Amino acid sequence: MVVMYHHVKNREHSFGWVNGVSEKRFKAQLEKLQKRYSIIGLDEYVRYLYGEAKIPRRSAVLTFDDGLKDHYRVV
């Protein structure tokens, strides 16, 4: 599974069709994901796609669109 976040900030917000999550909600979602999935890196997933690595059966990759400063500071 690949989970994409567009905005993670210190508050809930929305910009038209793009929704963001607060830091608090992101942490809650991350805790739930970690209980059900093994979080792996994108590089590990790509190696799996090329048949170069194995990954746990229930794996998840987290991605963060646009490389915003908030992702670095908050996430």
Side-chain angles (χ1 to χ4, degrees), residues 15-68:
F15 300 104
W17 58 272
V18 177
N19 293 316
V21 296
S22 67
E23 180 180 359
K24 181 179 178 180
R25 184 170 288 185
F26 173 75
K27 286 180 180 181
Q29 290 176 4
L30 186 57
E31 286 177 14
K32 287 182 181 180
L33 284 168
Q34 288 175 317
K35 288 179 183 176
R36 303 183 104 200
Y37 298 91
S38 296
I39 307 298
I40 62 171
L42 187 56
D43 59 333
E44 189 175 358
Y45 182 61
V46 170
R47 286 195 310 271
Y48 165 76
L49 291 175
Y50 282 103
E52 300 169 357
K54 293 184 179 184
I55 59 175
R57 185 173 179 271
R58 294 180 58 86
S59 296
V61 175
L62 303 181
T63 66
F64 300 88
D65 195 21
D66 294 335
L68 301 172

Side-chain angles (χ1 to χ4, degrees), residues 8 66-75:
V8 179
D66 294 335
L68 301 172
K69 289 180 189 177
D70 293 318
H71 295 150
Y72 179 76
R73 286 191 297 234
V74 177
V75 175

Side-chain angles (χ1 to χ4, degrees), residues 5-23:
Y5 287 92
H6 192 74
H7 292 288
V8 179
K9 294 193 174 201
N10 289 323
R11 59 181 171 75
E12 295 295 318
H13 58 283
S14 178
F15 300 104
W17 58 272
V18 177
N19 293 316
V21 296
S22 67
E23 180 180 359

